[in-house]
Amino acid sequence: MSISEEQVIRKIQQITTQAASSPAERRELLRAVHTLCELVLDTEVQTRDNLLEQKQLTTVPTHSEKKYKPDDGANGDSLFDF
């Protein structure tokens, strides 16, 4: 079940209204708001990371492997060929 950001924002508004009218429970209620905010922000980071990961997996490197061919008259690929 997916919870939308709008639902979380409505819940945060309810809790802040309750915190404003209840000084005795204010700290606990603000902790709940903090937790809800972290939940939304962490979800955004995970979504962005997942999209980046998928993009990296679908991207194919375009470099071509060309062998170096010296123009100095060498006769092989090895450093020891003269």
Side-chain angles (χ1 to χ4, degrees):
M1 181 173 124
S2 180
I3 299 172
S4 70
E5 288 182 8
E6 288 79 20
Q7 290 173 311
V8 175
I9 291 170
R10 275 187 253 127
K11 186 63 176 178
I12 290 171
Q13 289 172 338
Q14 290 173 357
I15 294 171
T16 53
T17 302
Q18 188 179 359
S21 64
S22 178
E25 297 177 348
R26 186 170 291 156
R27 187 166 183 82
E28 291 176 34
L29 293 168
L30 291 176
R31 178 68 62 190
V33 169
H34 182 263
T35 302
L36 290 169
C37 291
E38 283 184 336
L39 178 67
V40 171
L41 294 173
D42 287 346
T43 303
E44 287 177 2
V45 169
Q46 289 176 355
T47 302
R48 187 179 62 230
D49 289 346
N50 287 344
L51 290 174
L52 181 61
E53 213 173 88
Q54 289 174 356
K55 184 177 179 183
Q56 288 174 347
L57 291 175
T58 58
T59 305
V60 178
T62 58
H63 70 283
S64 61
E65 294 185 24
K66 294 181 181 178
K67 282 194 168 184
Y68 173 70
K69 294 184 181 180
D71 294 332
D72 60 359
N75 61 1
D77 293 336
S78 173
L79 291 174
F80 301 106
D81 287 340
F82 300 100

